[in-house]
Amino acid sequence: MKKLRILVTTVLVLALSSLGVRAASAAGSTTADCVGSAHHSAPAATRAAAPVTVWLAGDSTMANPGSGRCPVGWGSQFDALFDGDVTVRNQAVSGRSIQTWMYEGNVSAAKGSDGECRLTSSAYSARWQAMLNASTGMKAGDYLFIQFGINDSTSACPKHVGTARFQQLLTAMARAAQARGAHPVLLTSVAAITCSGGTATKNRGFVAQTLAAGTATGSPVIDLQTLSVSLYNSVRFCPNNGDYGSGPLGAFFCNDHTHFETYGAQQIARLVAGDVRRQNLPLAAYLR
């Protein structure tokens, strides 16, 4: 079984090598249509003089792995795509919505009259306070990648976040980064694998709100949902029999349709890096 799994992984590597670039390119075109941020004719990004820290805020699909083999968030594989002048600080946490990430422990299990989970305190979580710290947190020239929207769609508190509240909090995070001279980059949620016949389909919300927050703050948006779905289609993950323990799906996903094995996380990280390059963000100058 182990030899079979290694063989399947090798075949998938070859398939992704030949098709992944085209998938990212095709998805990138769709993203450009959505956010109007493509820079195809712009000159290559130039490096800043000082080293750069890339801060990550998100959920389990971005987070560093725990003690087990799965899940592995794509953020844990992001650092390897940059040269030595970039340090990635991954502050994504499993199971968090944007509000529970920002206000850890201070989000009530009860909803207010507006339908939103009540805050018992306006104090920020320790992780967000640390990122905002003037001495040791985000500094001028750094980047903040923000990806939420999966747990936020939960109907029950404390995870639940409505669309208006989501956009408000995402905008606030982006502006807080900008106030410190850092560059926010907003991402739609990476897609789970769901099929309509032989086609992988989109399954995440808060896309319009992410685009709107990008427009409001002048921040680039990476449509990771579109990029990931295009990748799934390029390697023909659909149709499938729902077996995530073996075969191409088992090499990419954990034993579910949402989280990633190390290999899958690496491929998603490459999609993000590819769109950084496609949009010609200054950070692209540090990519290997």
Side-chain angles (χ1 to χ4, degrees):
M1 181 62 70
K2 183 175 180 181
K3 291 182 178 178
L4 177 59
R5 187 177 182 84
I6 292 172
L7 176 60
V8 169
T9 302
T10 302
V11 171
L12 185 56
V13 170
L14 294 173
L16 282 166
S17 296
S18 62
L19 294 172
V21 172
R22 284 180 291 168
S25 177
S29 297
T30 304
T31 306
D33 293 340
C34 291
V35 303
S37 57
H39 300 285
H40 299 290
S41 60
T46 56
R47 299 173 65 99
V52 173
T53 298
V54 176
W55 304 81
L56 305 182
D59 54 40
S60 60
T61 61
M62 180 194 267
N64 290 331
S67 57
R69 189 187 71 194
C70 264
V72 179
W74 67 261
S76 67
Q77 308 301 309
F78 205 39
D79 185 73
L81 303 179
F82 295 94
D83 65 28
D85 285 334
V86 169
T87 299
V88 175
R89 297 281 299 275
N90 191 357
Q91 300 299 312
V93 185
S94 177
R96 300 314 190 268
S97 65
I98 190 170
Q99 184 158 264
T100 55
W101 188 94
M102 289 180 70
Y103 296 97
E104 187 77 63
N106 294 324
V107 185
S108 170
K111 292 182 180 179
S113 58
D114 60 355
E116 296 294 341
C117 304
R118 294 175 180 171
L119 291 178
T120 57
S121 169
S122 59
Y124 289 138
S125 65
R127 69 180 70 91
W128 188 220
Q129 289 185 46
M131 290 170 70
L132 297 175
N133 185 285
S135 300
T136 58
M138 292 181 288
K139 64 182 185 301
D142 284 354
Y143 283 79
L144 172 61
F145 283 63
I146 312 170
Q147 180 213 279
F148 290 100
I150 296 177
N151 299 301
D152 312 65
S153 62
T154 304
S155 60
C157 292
K159 292 182 181 180
H160 168 78
V161 181
T163 54
R165 178 65 169 163
F166 182 91
Q167 183 175 326
Q168 177 190 32
L169 293 175
L170 186 56
T171 300
M173 287 186 71
R175 287 179 173 159
Q178 290 171 333
R180 286 152 181 78
H183 309 291
V185 179
L186 314 184
L187 298 92
T188 60
S189 296
V190 62
I193 178 66
T194 57
C195 302
S196 176
T199 304
T201 59
K202 296 181 181 180
N203 42 55
R204 301 301 190 198
F206 301 98
V207 174
Q209 291 71 36
T210 302
L211 296 173
T215 298
T217 61
S219 304
V221 176
I222 294 176
D223 189 358
L224 187 53
Q225 176 168 219
T226 297
L227 291 168
S228 54
V229 167
S230 294
L231 176 61
Y232 303 160
N233 280 319
S234 75
V235 295
R236 300 178 182 177
F237 278 162
C238 295
N240 62 70
N241 63 3
D243 179 8
Y244 299 100
S246 61
L249 286 178
F252 200 99
F253 291 96
C254 301
N255 193 23
D256 59 21
H257 68 297
T258 299
H259 297 102
F260 307 112
E261 294 272 2
T262 299
Y263 178 72
Q266 289 171 343
Q267 300 311 308
I268 299 301
R270 288 173 183 170
L271 290 182
V272 176
D275 213 52
V276 167
R277 195 186 299 278
R278 184 193 66 80
Q279 294 196 45
N280 198 30
L281 304 185
L283 183 62
Y286 296 87
L287 287 168
R288 295 184 186 276

